[in-house]
């Protein structure tokens, strides 16, 4: 990841050499995702899925991270991160790494996945392979499905180069001869209809094809592009796709209504500044240069690809192809043993805290928690934060029912959850129409906390029931992401959540919280303090260790605190799924720090922080990663696990991840990740697989 010289032991802890570049680390993570597509132990169609995920990830990387760096390079071009790279220098190194990653993606598709799929009877037919029956059916498809909705555009002064939608499929066409008006037109642009699928399945009964024969929409357009320009000849047709800056700009200090402001900005995302151009590998340089000039991009922004420019659209095949033998076995999450015997969810939570680990534990109790509250006459109020929930959400349905039943329902909807803004606007409007109180958090701070508060009148007074989670209230992602969720009726925890909701709605200052470490106020200093406390324990000869699991580790002060703790002798194990800017294994600095990343069937999303603390260990779960934005620009929760049985369970599960030798990647001091492999006398251990097997197998 870094070509910089190896750090020396006598470096100050803020030396740039001790920090990896954030963007390059993110590309390294995407490479680990791509490796899943190359892993022959992964079912074949799942390998295709991982390829699509790596393509989608790279799209978002350009839309957000590269776009942001380009803006910085134009404005100031001064170092802004701990690694001390200027934006222009970072862009140069990123370009080299991203080009290599794209080449690897298409090599994986062309040299590994397509041949393996063909061996299983799943074929992508090239035009040269079309049989007469197939050719006839595809010609009819073009006439009936494509031709009525396609709009070829010859380029001349009256037909300027069109606005190209972000990540849309397009073609640049070279023309010969003259048009119907006797004019010589050199180029045309054909935009693929957005409503049509990008991969077309050939019907066996009409074409004599196999049950899983497919043709790319781009191939159909290539074959019939001449029909779009009947009086002219076509000497070339090449697909291209442009990626644009997709960050929304909303001046939160100036707007009166955040919902209307975000809603108004959404259309502009489709036409932001261009950051990348993808073209077919055989596109002539002159045409590529012509497109680059149109999009105001340089040669370094050009990506020539040998295959479809929109690889991620192959994801649709997973629902089309009915081959269970080529997919992961169906997995049904288990129902937590603590829930269900009495049928009284509130009584079970009041008896003892309940911890769920999704997707190994079902998400249904979380939905049931809100549903029962909506129908329970003893429940007076429901308050919930919503960051990502999906357009069709059982949780939102329950909140709507509760509001219509006359309960006090307050929902904090984060409108600026990137790429989910439209869905969140829709659900906010729906909740308001039902009579719920809907607010949009605090201007300037994203509400990223995941919490639900239910106020219930019981015989001995009012009680607060809470659910706190590391992930979103999204039933679909709860089957794909690993996350913890805690149910509790603890009075201190309930009061803390109540205080946080008061802050989000009334904007008043929260009084001191008893259990929760909240961002942007207490979380960062508390983490620094707890890391420093471990160093003090180590210096005094007491037990001192840190195990922290998160999605990203970026914030420089926390990294420096970890270095200082390591120098004091603290053993530190970090399980960081994605970006990690800390450099482990540097002599005299981070020798006792080990970093691993787990990439498997499920997206690791839990945030767990464990501190040995002498003989009084503490364990926290959180909605926050150790990043600047989570500490300082978001509303977050970090909450303790105090029930002994639950503490023991989380520690055992952390140990599984620390001993994973099948899906773990180990970060070296040079920035390279090496896949963990079992020793000759060591059995294979995949943490996710073991957790799927259930309790008692850890």
């Amino acid at each position: 990841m870094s070509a910089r010289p190896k750090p020396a032991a006598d470096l100050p802890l803020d030396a740039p050499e001790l920090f990896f570049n954030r963007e390059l680390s993110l590309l390294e993570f995407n490479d680990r995702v791509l490796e899943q597509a190359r892993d022959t132990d992964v079912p074949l169609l799942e390998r295709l899925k991982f390829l699509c995920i790596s393509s989608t990830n790279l799209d978002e990387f350009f839309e957000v991270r590269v776009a942001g760096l380009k803006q910085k390079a134009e404005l100031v071009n001064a170092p802004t991160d701990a690694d001390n790279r200027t934006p222009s220098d970072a862009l140069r190194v990123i370009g080299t790494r991203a080009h290599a990653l794209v080449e690897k993606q298409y090599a994986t598709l062309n040299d590994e996945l397509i041949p393996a799929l063909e061996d299983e009877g799943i074929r992508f037919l090239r035009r040269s392979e079309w049989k007469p029956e197939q050719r006839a059916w595809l010609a009819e498809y073009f006439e009936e499905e494509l031709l009525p909705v396609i709009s070829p555009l010859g380029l001349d002064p009256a037909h300027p180069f069109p606005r190209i939608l972000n990540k849309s499929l397009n073609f640049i066409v070279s023309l010969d001869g003259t048009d119907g008006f006797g004019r010589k037109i050199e180029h045309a642009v054909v935009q693929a209809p957005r409503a049509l699928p990008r991969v077309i399945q050939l019907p066996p009964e009409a074409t004599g094809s196999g049950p899983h024969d497919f043709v790319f929409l781009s191939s159909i357009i290539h074959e019939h592009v001449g029909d779009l320009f009947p009086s002219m000849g076509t000497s070339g047709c090449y697909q291209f796709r442009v990626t644009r800056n997709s960050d929304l700009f909303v001046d939160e200090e100036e707007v009166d209504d955040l919902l209307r402001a975000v809603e108004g900005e959404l259309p502009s995302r489709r036409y932001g500044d261009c950051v990348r151009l993808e073209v077919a590998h055989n596109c002539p340089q002159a045409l590529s240069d012509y497109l680059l000039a149109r999009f105001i991009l340089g040669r370094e922004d050009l990506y020539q690809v040998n295959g479809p420019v929109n690889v991620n659209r192959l994801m649709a095949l997973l629902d089309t192809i009915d081959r269970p033998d080529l997919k992961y076995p169906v997995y049904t999450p288990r129902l937590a043993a603590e829930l269900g015997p009495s049928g009284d969810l509130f009584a079970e939570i009041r008896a003892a805290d309940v911890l769920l680990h999704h997707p190994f534990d079902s998400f249904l109790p979380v939905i049931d928690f809100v549903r029962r509250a909506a129908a329970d006459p003893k429940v007076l109020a429901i308050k919930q934060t919503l960051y990502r929930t999906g357009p069709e959400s059982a949780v939102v349905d329950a909140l709507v029912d509760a509001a219509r039943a006359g309960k006090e329902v307050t929902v904090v909807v984060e409108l600026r959850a990137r790429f989910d803004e439209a869905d969140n606007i829709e659900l906010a409007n729906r909740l308001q129409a039902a009579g719920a109180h809907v607010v949009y958090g605090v201007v300037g701070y994203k509400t990223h906390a995941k919490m639900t508060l239910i106020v219930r009148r019981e015989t001995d007074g009012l009680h607060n029931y809470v659910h706190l989670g590391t992930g979103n209230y999204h039933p679909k992602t709860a089957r794909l992401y690993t996350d913890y969720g805690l149910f509790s009726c603890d009075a201190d925890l309930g009061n803390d959540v109540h205080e946080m909701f008061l802050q989000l709605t009334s904007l008043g200052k929260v009084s001191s919280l008893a259990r929760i470490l909240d961002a942007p106020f207490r979380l960062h200093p508390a983490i620094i303090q707890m890391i420093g406390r471990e160093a003090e324990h180590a210096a005094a000869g007491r037990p001192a260790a840190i195990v922290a699991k998160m999605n990203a580790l970026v914030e420089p002060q926390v990294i420096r605190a970890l270095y200082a703790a390591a120098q004091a002798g603290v053993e530190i194990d970090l399980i960081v799924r994605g970006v990690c800017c800390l450099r482990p294994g540097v002599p005299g600095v981070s020798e006792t720090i080990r970093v691993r990343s787990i990439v498997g069937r499920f997206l690791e999303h839990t945030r767990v922080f464990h501190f040995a603390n002498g003989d009084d260990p503490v364990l926290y779960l959180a909605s926050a990663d150790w990043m600047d934005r989570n500490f300082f620009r978001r509303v977050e929760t970090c909450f303790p696990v105090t029930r002994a049985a639950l503490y023991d369970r989380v520690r055992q599960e952390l140990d599984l991840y620390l001993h994973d030798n099948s899906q773990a990647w180990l970060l070296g001091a040079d920035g390279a990740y090496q896949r963990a492999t079992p020793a000759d006398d060591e059995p294979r251990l995949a943490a996710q697989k073991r957790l799927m097997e259930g309790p008692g197998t850890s």
Side-chain angles (χ1 to χ4, degrees), residues 383-398:
K383 300 182 181 183
Q384 188 169 41
T385 58
L386 295 179
Y387 190 75
R388 302 185 196 275
T389 64
E392 297 180 3
S393 169
V395 172
V396 175
D397 291 344

Side-chain angles (χ1 to χ4, degrees), residues 410-665:
T410 302
V411 186
V412 182
V413 178
E414 180 48 68
L415 296 178
R416 295 152 300 172
R418 185 178 288 130
F419 302 119
D420 276 350
E421 296 94 343
D423 287 343
N424 285 2
I425 288 170
E426 182 179 341
L427 70 88
N429 289 330
R430 184 178 169 214
L431 286 163
Q432 285 179 322
H437 306 293
V438 179
V439 297
Y440 310 120
V442 181
V443 170
Y445 298 85
K446 284 188 178 181
T447 302
H448 194 248
K450 285 76 178 177
M451 54 186 183
T452 302
L453 172 67
I454 292 173
V455 182
R456 192 170 189 258
R457 186 182 299 281
E458 298 176 353
T459 54
D460 55 347
L462 295 181
H463 288 271
N464 291 330
Y465 291 82
V466 301
H467 174 269
L468 292 161
T470 68
N472 300 301
Y473 291 106
H474 195 309
K476 182 177 179 181
T477 58
R479 296 181 67 90
L480 303 174
Y481 295 7
T482 69
D483 272 305
Y484 281 114
L486 179 72
F487 289 114
S488 180
C489 193
D490 177 84
D492 286 339
L493 205 56
N495 189 63
D496 283 357
V497 174
H498 168 72
E499 291 286 342
M500 289 194 68
F501 273 111
L502 282 181
Q503 176 179 265
L504 288 169
T505 56
S506 71
L507 304 181
K509 185 176 181 180
V510 170
S511 59
S512 179
L513 301 181
R515 296 288 187 88
I516 291 178
L517 305 174
D518 62 325
F521 302 109
R522 300 165 181 82
L523 180 56
H524 184 258
I527 293 295
I528 296 289
Q529 186 270 331
M530 285 189 283
I531 294 172
R533 187 174 61 191
E534 293 303 310
E536 294 173 2
H537 285 308
R542 294 186 292 268
I546 299 171
V547 180
K549 185 174 183 293
M550 65 200 77
N551 303 325
L553 172 56
V554 175
E555 205 281 312
Q557 294 181 63
V558 168
I559 292 175
R560 290 196 293 270
L562 290 168
Y563 286 150
Q567 289 179 325
V570 180
E571 294 293 330
I572 302 173
D573 284 289
L574 303 174
I575 307 167
V576 185
R577 182 196 77 201
V579 176
C580 180
C581 294
L582 176 146
R583 190 186 291 266
V586 177
V589 177
S590 55
E591 287 175 285
T592 66
I593 302 179
R594 296 162 291 276
V595 179
R596 57 175 43 215
S597 170
I598 306 292
V599 182
R601 172 173 179 170
F602 306 114
L603 183 74
E604 287 298 331
H605 198 251
T606 53
R607 289 93 166 196
V608 186
F609 315 139
H610 180 264
F611 300 90
N613 192 31
D615 290 318
D616 187 21
V618 293
L619 186 146
Y620 285 87
L621 307 178
S623 62
D625 293 309
W626 288 357
M627 303 179 71
D628 305 65
R629 69 187 187 194
N630 299 94
F631 285 129
F632 309 123
R633 301 190 298 278
R634 290 185 171 184
V635 177
E636 304 273 15
T637 56
C638 180
F639 48 97
V641 175
T642 56
R643 182 184 166 196
L646 302 185
Y647 168 89
D648 291 341
R649 173 187 171 184
V650 177
R651 281 295 290 124
Q652 290 170 8
E653 291 174 349
L654 279 177
D655 284 342
L656 281 179
Y657 284 105
L658 291 175
H659 290 90
D660 188 311
N661 57 23
S662 298
Q663 296 179 319
W665 294 79

Side-chain angles (χ1 to χ4, degrees), residues 1-7 11-25 80-85 553-564 579-584 586 589-590 626 628 667-671:
M1 178 164 48
S2 174
R4 295 183 173 184
K6 188 175 181 180
L11 282 173
L13 298 187
D14 60 353
E17 293 89 341
L18 292 177
F19 295 84
F20 292 129
N21 178 266
R22 173 180 174 173
E23 277 70 32
L24 292 177
S25 183
T80 57
D81 294 324
D83 71 316
N84 209 38
R85 292 184 190 269
L553 172 56
V554 175
E555 205 281 312
Q557 294 181 63
V558 168
I559 292 175
R560 290 196 293 270
L562 290 168
Y563 286 150
V579 176
C580 180
C581 294
L582 176 146
R583 190 186 291 266
V586 177
V589 177
S590 55
W626 288 357
D628 305 65
L667 175 60
D670 60 353

Side-chain angles (χ1 to χ4, degrees), residues 72 123 144 173 254 260 273 288 476 481 502 506 558 585:
K72 290 179 182 178
R123 302 189 300 163
E144 294 183 357
V173 183
E254 297 294 329
R260 290 183 181 276
D273 292 340
S288 295
K476 182 177 179 181
Y481 295 7
L502 282 181
S506 71
V558 168

Side-chain angles (χ1 to χ4, degrees), residues 156 159 178-185 231-232:
D156 69 1
H159 301 81
T178 58
D179 67 4
F181 298 91
R183 301 169 305 167
K184 183 173 179 58
I185 306 295
S231 64
M232 308 180 72

